[in-house]
Amino acid sequence: MISFNRVSKSYGKHNKALADVSFDVEAGEMLFLTGHSGAGKTSILKLIMRIETISYGQAEVNGHNIRHLSDNQLPQYRRDLGMIFQDHRLLENRTILDNVAMSMWLRGFTMKESRKQARVILGQVGLAEKTRFYPSQLSSGQQQRVGIARAIISKPAILLADEPTGNLDPDLSLELMDLFMRINKNGTTVVIASHDLILIKRLRKRVLVLDSGRLIDDYRPS
Amino acid sequence: MNQTVDNQPNPLKRWYRGHGRAFLGGWRMPLQTPYSSLFTVITLAICFYLPLLMWTLWQNFDGVQQQWQNQGSVAVFLKPNVGEQQRQNLQQELLQKNLIAAVTLVAKQTIKADLSDDPQLNQVIAVIDDYDLPDQLMLKPHEAATVEQLKTLAKQLQLHPDIDYVSFDADWYRQLQAVTQALYYLTQGSIVIFLTIVLVFLSHSIGNEIAAHKAEIGLKKLLGASPGQIRRRFLYSGFYYGVLAGLLAWLLLVITLWWMKKPLMALTESFGRAFSIHAGSLSQWFLFITLCALITWLGARISSSGHIHKL
């Protein structure tokens, strides 16, 4: 599903975000990317989303060579991915229902169909009563769940999450992880960038450990 | 966790649904910033109005030129010793010519009476009252006759033994033609200049709107929106700006023509012609507003493509 082969990413001559990173992720797998700040976790997610381009090496995601993905292929490629951002990236001037439905109507569904499906997904993340609220009226944990609902509404093949529990208390973090586990059980490949080692240990999933842009460990629980 | 988004709509459905949403979204966007949108529409309207005014004036002058060319006449002054029979023979001879549609005799008494009625010339006539004016034949040219053909005819008639003098004053016509021509070139030049202003101004306005929606555009890109999907709403906005600016330009033109009606009538009446200026037919207006909408759509297309690509 995801294959990185000696991938490097540089910003200028002396700023190397990733160096010779290689790993493979099977379809339906769930794994964590961990490491200190600046280790390269977010860079890997950005490369998979093609927000950034690879400097050296090759990477294949969902059957696409992302190094040679053209601008015309990019929208279709991204429609098979779901991304959850640390800062949620919700549109403040839209209700949470429309924030979630947007992902559907961009794929050509009617507003009615999109909103109907958004209600179903918001119900599954525990926000059925908040559909008419605006993002600023929700707590950080609730906003994160809206971001998750938006990412999963279109049933992506791969779900990427960048520090999804960054601003949440331990109980909410566990609740959120439970949500990711359920999504993964439905066959979605889930890649989570997190530095919350306690949480990662509790979930006993595969962990890629990064340090200064290098992959230093690929831990697979027995 | 049930994820049930299957049966993705086909590309055609995606396309028209996307346009349907952009059609409404394109209206909503200018309404979110009403004052700045109004300023944009007024500026665009002025840019459309000025070349439109020149074009309308040129069209009307051209029409007048054609009209005056067809209504022009040749005055033939006979020699004093030409008798009644000779004059009738000459009239018949002139009527045989293809370029002449009618020949009318203007008797010397009529000429004197006309001159006496003229407030500027009546005093002169009083002085030269005893002067024996010649009879005059007014030749009405055929509709198809050109100025050049009439000038040649006038030269030929000048050689006739019974004719004293032939008057075909083409200078005023040439002057009118030169003014019309100058107006035509001025219109062309102004169209180029004002179109450039429209494109630059629209690029700036659309650029500002894109900057104001930067976060939304960035998010849509990450959610898999194509550049076309993102651009569409701005293109509809450009289209609406063009329609509104075109309508406002038309309104300004109608007001201007109404304002100019009296002085123009006075001017044309001083030339002895009744003339009213026209603002164009309904189909011309439809074409003009369509053109305005296409120009602003094109401006929005160029501008949005550049700005969205940069985000």
Side-chain angles (χ1 to χ4, degrees):
Chain A
M1 183 57 78
I2 302 172
S3 174
F4 269 46
N5 184 16
R6 303 195 66 184
V7 170
S8 296
K9 174 65 188 172
S10 303
Y11 299 99
K13 276 186 178 175
H14 307 291
N15 187 2
K16 219 166 193 181
L18 288 175
D20 270 344
V21 173
S22 300
F23 64 89
D24 290 296
V25 180
E26 297 297 320
E29 207 176 335
M30 180 171 172
L31 76 151
F32 287 94
L33 298 171
T34 194
H36 297 295
S37 288
K41 309 183 289 290
T42 304
S43 293
I44 288 179
L45 297 185
K46 280 184 175 175
L47 290 180
I48 295 173
M49 273 303 280
R50 252 299 298 270
I51 297 171
E52 303 282 358
T53 49
I54 293 169
S55 304
Y56 304 100
Q58 295 296 330
E60 198 173 283
V61 178
N62 208 14
H64 295 93
N65 183 331
I66 58 169
R67 193 164 179 194
H68 300 117
L69 212 55
S70 70
D71 285 349
N72 290 336
Q73 292 170 310
L74 195 56
Q76 190 55 50
Y77 165 77
R78 282 181 176 161
R79 283 175 200 169
D80 288 330
L81 307 178
M83 178 88 181
I84 298 156
F85 306 94
Q86 189 178 4
D87 57 358
H88 321 310
R89 293 206 192 177
L90 302 178
L91 299 177
E92 294 295 332
N93 59 347
R94 290 177 195 252
T95 62
I96 64 161
L97 185 71
D98 283 349
N99 263 285
V100 177
M102 183 199 288
S103 197
M104 289 279 284
W105 58 254
L106 281 176
R107 285 162 173 79
F109 289 92
T110 62
M111 196 58 98
K112 198 178 167 186
E113 287 168 337
S114 305
R115 284 181 175 157
K116 188 180 167 191
Q117 186 61 22
R119 275 195 191 90
V120 173
I121 297 292
L122 282 167
Q124 288 171 358
V125 297
L127 292 170
E129 306 299 316
K130 310 275 185 184
T131 54
R132 286 166 185 263
F133 282 52
Y134 285 87
S136 59
Q137 296 172 294
L138 303 181
S139 68
S140 186
Q142 287 171 326
Q143 287 187 26
Q144 191 62 287
R145 279 189 276 165
V146 176
I148 294 170
R150 184 182 59 198
I152 63 174
I153 190 173
S154 54
K155 205 178 178 182
I158 302 169
L159 183 66
L160 308 168
D162 189 11
E163 301 284 2
T165 59
N167 304 318
L168 306 181
D169 60 50
D171 287 344
L172 269 177
S173 298
L174 266 178
E175 207 178 293
L176 212 58
M177 284 303 155
D178 182 52
L179 192 59
F180 284 128
M181 301 269 269
R182 283 191 283 152
I183 294 165
N184 176 242
K185 269 183 190 162
N186 280 310
T188 304
T189 305
V190 180
V191 181
I192 303 168
S194 175
H195 62 263
D196 190 343
L197 290 175
I198 299 166
L199 196 72
I200 292 169
K201 275 179 189 167
R202 282 179 73 164
L203 291 171
R204 298 188 58 77
K205 294 283 181 185
R206 183 182 170 195
V207 183
L208 299 180
V209 185
L210 292 148
D211 184 40
S212 303
R214 291 187 179 277
L215 184 63
I216 56 169
D217 195 11
D218 186 351
Y219 167 76
R220 292 168 192 261
S222 52
Chain B
M1 183 62 51
N2 297 314
Q3 295 171 50
T4 53
V5 183
D6 294 318
N7 304 320
Q8 297 258 344
N10 64 45
L12 187 67
K13 270 187 181 173
R14 275 210 302 268
W15 184 84
Y16 80 71
R17 282 174 181 171
H19 274 276
R21 264 191 292 273
F23 183 79
L24 295 173
W27 263 125
R28 231 173 274 137
M29 205 160 59
L31 291 177
Q32 282 168 354
T33 50
Y35 290 112
S36 118
S37 303
L38 188 67
F39 177 71
T40 303
V41 169
I42 290 172
T43 310
L44 293 176
I46 292 168
C47 290
F48 288 135
Y49 160 76
L50 291 170
L52 176 70
L53 178 66
M54 278 185 250
W55 183 80
T56 307
L57 289 176
W58 168 68
Q59 281 281 82
N60 279 276
F61 270 100
D62 199 45
V64 170
Q65 184 185 304
Q66 298 293 327
Q67 193 187 358
W68 284 0
Q69 180 185 355
N70 292 339
Q71 287 178 358
S73 56
V74 181
V76 175
F77 295 92
L78 304 180
K79 283 183 176 168
N81 56 355
V82 173
E84 181 67 19
Q85 189 57 46
Q86 279 173 290
R87 182 178 56 76
Q88 282 180 7
N89 290 343
L90 180 61
Q91 270 181 276
Q92 287 303 316
E93 191 186 323
L94 292 170
L95 274 172
Q96 305 293 315
K97 295 188 184 291
N98 289 337
L99 296 173
I100 297 167
V103 179
T104 317
L105 170 70
V106 184
K108 58 185 104 178
Q109 293 81 5
T110 312
I111 300 171
K112 270 189 179 176
D114 282 351
L115 292 173
S116 301
D117 287 344
D118 191 307
Q120 288 175 327
L121 294 174
N122 57 5
Q123 288 176 345
V124 181
I125 288 300
V127 174
I128 58 160
D129 200 28
D130 295 335
Y131 181 75
D132 194 21
L133 289 170
D135 283 329
Q136 184 189 335
L137 294 176
M138 286 299 288
L139 311 185
K140 183 176 168 46
H142 196 273
E143 278 187 7
T146 64
V147 172
E148 290 309 314
Q149 285 174 321
L150 292 174
K151 275 167 72 182
T152 312
L153 175 72
K155 275 182 191 168
Q156 285 171 357
L157 292 178
Q158 192 67 64
L159 302 173
H160 197 283
D162 294 340
I163 295 172
D164 188 29
Y165 177 66
V166 179
S167 167
F168 176 60
D169 183 10
D171 285 347
W172 62 269
Y173 176 77
R174 249 186 258 116
Q175 284 162 0
L176 180 68
Q177 206 174 27
V179 169
T180 312
Q181 195 79 343
L183 206 58
Y184 176 67
Y185 281 106
L186 197 64
T187 305
Q188 279 188 331
S190 69
I191 285 173
V192 173
I193 289 166
F194 284 104
L195 274 189
T196 311
I197 296 172
V198 165
L199 292 178
V200 170
F201 183 76
L202 204 64
S203 170
H204 179 71
S205 297
I206 296 284
N208 281 346
E209 281 181 10
I210 288 173
H213 292 82
K214 196 176 166 184
E216 185 178 338
I217 292 169
L219 179 68
K220 282 181 177 174
K221 275 185 164 182
L222 292 176
L223 292 177
S226 65
Q229 279 179 304
I230 296 168
R231 202 166 44 217
R232 218 169 271 157
R233 196 168 56 154
F234 298 99
L235 300 190
Y236 275 100
S237 280
F239 179 82
Y240 296 139
Y241 278 139
V243 172
L244 292 175
L247 286 170
L248 187 59
W250 172 75
L251 187 68
L252 288 173
L253 182 77
V254 170
I255 292 169
T256 309
L257 296 186
W258 170 77
W259 191 251
M260 286 170 69
K261 196 178 173 183
K262 264 193 173 177
L264 269 175
M265 289 280 276
L267 178 72
T268 53
E269 272 170 13
S270 73
F271 283 96
R273 309 279 175 200
F275 160 67
S276 62
I277 199 158
H278 301 288
S281 64
L282 200 67
S283 59
Q284 281 175 320
W285 279 112
F286 180 75
L287 184 69
F288 169 71
I289 289 170
T290 308
L291 269 175
C292 290
L294 280 177
I295 289 162
T296 48
W297 177 88
L298 185 70
R301 174 78 171 77
I302 295 166
S303 163
S304 60
S305 297
H307 285 101
I308 289 168
H309 188 73
K310 280 181 210 161
L311 289 178

